Amino acid sequence: MKPPIHLCVDGHSICGPCYDKSYQCHVCKKEFSPIRSAVLESLANKVLFPCTNAGCPKHATLPLLEKHTPHCQFRIINCFMARVYGECTWEGRAGDWMDHCFSEHKQKVTDLPFITVKDKWDAKRTEPILNYFLLRCFEKVFNVYQIYDKRGGRMMWTVLVNDDNAEKFYFEIDIFLPNLPSKRIVYRRPCKCEKDADFLEHTQNVYIPVENVFSMLDDSEALNFIVRIGEVENLPLLDTPTDSESRILLNHEDHK
């Protein structure tokens, strides 16, 4: 029985979700009391309940179970690739999804900390998510989203990882023209946690105006880019810039 636990005037108990859908006691048909059962609520928060997903061995208190259930590896899901690319009818346990992706979506997943993409631009596409990739590295799974914000006139990339300390990882977007190495766009941003509900509005995503993106299309009207994942602790620290010799000489001339 899930708190809050309500009582009717005769003392029969009813859980919060059922109370919200009822107008009288299901046992005696009498009205509800404004009093809740503190004893039953205390017990409910201490008892270990099983996860409702078939096959999951997890037992936990209700507050912990509420956090576990949305991320349970035994929950049944549909393949997310179908929402982006279509034509996939897979349904199964969340814990089996990566194996499915490596078997059926090999071009969209990798065990390396980078993936190279050649994406043909299609002006007729209406879905905001243009691409979705999975990178399994650093003992984590990184979700890469490429989103076309048509109204805002910009292209966005973001990377989510199931880690509360997601910002210890960074991602780079490296847009290039294969036959013109002098023309290149590179951005580096911190990764975001999957639990961040506002990740699409995050200021640390990569945003590039579409006119800049279109300027990087190759002769076949494809966008070539690399997504890289790394650990922030391995990035070199940049020294604070010092005055150059020309600046020093300029200051010297000012004093004459």
Side-chain angles (χ1 to χ4, degrees):
M1 185 172 288
K2 186 177 181 180
I5 299 175
H6 299 268
L7 298 173
C8 76
V9 293
D10 278 356
H12 299 122
S13 57
I14 185 171
C15 69
C18 291
Y19 173 82
D20 292 336
K21 297 182 290 184
S22 306
Y23 63 93
Q24 65 181 12
C25 177
H26 291 201
V27 178
C28 64
K29 308 303 181 184
K30 294 183 180 180
E31 68 272 16
F32 291 115
S33 165
I35 300 173
R36 284 164 46 185
S37 176
V39 174
L40 289 178
E41 288 183 0
S42 178
L43 288 173
N45 285 323
K46 293 177 182 178
V47 173
L48 299 182
F49 292 90
C51 176
T52 56
N53 292 312
C56 181
K58 181 77 172 180
H59 284 70
T61 60
L62 286 174
L64 292 178
L65 209 57
E66 287 182 355
K67 295 179 180 179
H68 160 79
T69 302
H71 305 285
C72 177
Q73 294 298 294
F74 288 83
R75 74 189 189 279
I76 302 301
I77 63 171
N78 297 107
C79 181
F80 185 76
M81 295 290 183
R83 296 175 58 182
V84 181
Y85 304 109
E87 299 180 357
C88 183
T89 59
W90 182 88
E91 181 181 270
R93 289 179 174 177
D96 298 330
W97 182 54
M98 281 297 294
D99 291 336
H100 159 74
C101 288
F102 272 88
S103 173
E104 303 297 330
H105 306 287
K106 296 178 181 179
Q107 294 183 336
K108 309 299 181 183
V109 296
T110 179
D111 278 324
L112 299 173
F114 65 89
I115 188 168
T116 303
V117 181
K118 182 181 179 69
D119 184 44
K120 178 76 172 179
W121 175 252
D122 183 1
K124 296 180 180 179
R125 286 196 65 174
T126 57
E127 302 86 354
I129 302 179
L130 299 183
N131 281 299
Y132 173 73
F133 308 102
L134 293 171
L135 280 68
R136 186 165 59 185
C137 51
F138 303 108
E139 299 181 349
K140 305 286 183 182
V141 176
F142 295 84
N143 302 264
V144 180
Y145 294 84
Q146 180 192 0
I147 298 173
Y148 179 32
D149 179 7
K150 191 171 183 180
R151 179 177 296 180
R154 59 186 182 176
M155 197 77 73
M156 186 195 85
W157 282 265
T158 191
V159 176
L160 305 182
V161 58
N162 188 14
D163 192 316
D164 290 335
N165 298 313
E167 291 196 355
K168 66 184 179 183
F169 300 102
Y170 70 88
F171 71 98
E172 282 185 351
I173 301 299
D174 186 346
I175 306 175
F176 63 94
L177 282 170
N179 299 321
L180 190 59
S182 61
K183 196 170 183 181
R184 192 173 180 183
I185 300 175
V186 182
Y187 278 82
R188 179 185 293 163
R189 293 289 187 269
C191 295
K192 265 73 67 183
C193 179
E194 288 182 354
K195 300 175 185 177
D196 184 358
D198 298 326
F199 74 91
L200 289 178
E201 301 300 327
H202 205 291
T203 57
Q204 292 299 313
N205 295 326
V206 169
Y207 297 101
I208 304 178
V210 290
E211 56 266 25
N212 292 357
V213 174
F214 291 160
S215 72
M216 298 297 291
L217 296 180
D218 62 20
D219 293 339
S220 64
E221 294 191 349
L223 185 67
N224 300 270
F225 63 91
I226 303 171
V227 182
R228 301 186 186 92
I229 305 293
E231 294 179 300
V232 172
E233 65 179 9
N234 293 328
L235 288 173
L237 295 177
L238 301 178
D239 295 329
T240 302
T242 58
D243 287 335
S244 65
E245 290 185 5
S246 60
R247 174 70 180 275
I248 295 172
L249 289 173
L250 178 62
N251 289 339
H252 179 71
E253 293 293 329
D254 290 342
H255 290 296
K256 287 185 178 182

